[in-house]
Amino acid sequence: RSHFGSSWSDLCPDAMEGMGDRTIGDAIVDQLVAAAEDAEAQIDSELARLDNKDEDTIEEIRRRRIKAMKSRQEQIKKWRDNGHGEYTHLNDEKEFFAAAKKSKRLVVHFFRGSNMACDVVDKHLSILAQKHLECKFVKINAEKSPFLTERLRIMILPSITICLDGESRRTFAGFDELDGTYDFPTELLESRLVDWGAIDAPKEEED
């Protein structure tokens, strides 16, 4: 028997509830603005520590600022070209392995159709996918992925698996680690993903 499941339709609109009027473009703008603010804050801090702010030193710092901003913009473009910034429905296991190879950080939702708990996870991951371009967020039908579910020991749905550098690092099933309720806030799942290295901490939480 083939290890690969058959393809199915794209992510249904119901899974995108809760995203409001934000678009992928909004997320990219937010990332660019954050990159500029981070670079400026770092340089301003460095300037404040300098006793002698001669013109050559200031010009060198400005060049470094521009370089850092360009580097960040290039990284965001690479992420976007690789499908980051959106919640992607993988059609089969081949697409899973391709995604794990291309993205250093990958969050995978193993779901089953017509499952209310899976719909809840869809809603939250759709929001986080737009907010955290540094990670790729995907979903795959567990019933059509027998090889993966056996290999990763997916027993309960929904299950969320975190892959880092092409290797699965952690899987948590159901909502036990999310207050055991369907009504957990997106921020709680976000904090768990931060703790497990899947995404960066939101700017307001950084030291």
Side-chain angles (χ1 to χ4, degrees):
R1 185 181 64 175
S2 171
H3 284 153
F4 303 110
S6 58
S7 63
W8 58 295
S9 60
D10 291 335
L11 178 64
C12 64
D14 291 343
M16 306 304 289
E17 291 180 359
M19 292 171 57
D21 296 327
R22 287 183 55 79
T23 65
I24 295 171
D26 293 330
I28 294 174
V29 170
D30 289 346
Q31 291 278 339
L32 293 175
V33 170
E37 291 176 347
D38 287 344
E40 188 166 356
Q42 292 172 10
I43 300 306
D44 288 344
S45 177
E46 186 171 347
L47 283 172
R49 291 196 301 268
L50 294 174
D51 292 328
N52 300 313
K53 303 183 184 70
D54 60 81
E55 188 171 333
D56 289 341
T57 300
I58 293 175
E59 184 59 31
E60 173 61 23
I61 292 174
R62 285 174 177 165
R63 283 196 294 268
R64 285 161 52 191
R65 174 186 295 178
I66 293 173
K67 183 178 180 180
M69 292 175 63
K70 286 183 177 179
S71 178
R72 178 64 174 175
Q73 291 170 357
E74 290 172 358
Q75 180 62 72
I76 290 173
K77 184 179 185 302
K78 288 180 180 179
W79 285 333
R80 181 68 186 91
D81 290 344
N82 195 30
H84 291 222
E86 57 189 54
Y87 186 38
T88 304
H89 176 185
L90 303 180
N91 292 307
D92 54 39
E93 291 170 314
K94 290 181 180 179
E95 292 187 2
F96 165 83
F97 289 113
K101 183 177 180 179
K102 291 180 180 179
S103 297
K104 292 179 67 66
R105 292 191 275 187
L106 182 72
V107 169
V108 187
H109 171 207
F110 287 90
F111 78 98
R112 180 173 57 230
S114 302
N115 183 305
M116 186 179 298
C118 292
D119 291 342
V120 170
V121 172
D122 280 341
K123 181 185 71 172
H124 294 298
L125 292 185
S126 296
I127 295 169
L128 293 176
Q130 292 192 53
K131 184 176 180 181
H132 291 277
L133 270 67
E134 70 275 10
C135 178
K136 185 174 178 67
F137 291 79
V138 301
K139 63 181 294 186
I140 189 167
N141 191 324
E143 294 178 331
K144 298 181 179 181
S145 310
F147 176 75
L148 281 176
T149 54
E150 180 178 352
R151 179 178 177 181
L152 299 177
R153 299 181 180 178
I154 304 299
M155 303 290 191
I156 299 173
L157 299 178
S159 282
I160 298 175
T161 294
I162 296 169
C163 297
L164 303 178
D165 296 315
E167 297 183 0
S168 61
R169 297 297 178 86
R170 184 183 182 110
T171 295
F172 64 99
F175 296 155
D176 286 348
E177 297 187 62
L178 298 167
D179 287 348
T181 174
Y182 282 42
D183 297 327
F184 66 88
T186 301
E187 291 75 16
L188 178 58
L189 176 54
E190 182 178 43
S191 70
R192 295 290 186 266
L193 295 178
V194 169
D195 292 342
W196 300 329
I199 59 176
D200 297 332
K203 185 174 176 59
E204 62 270 19
E205 294 181 9
E206 295 175 350
D207 295 333

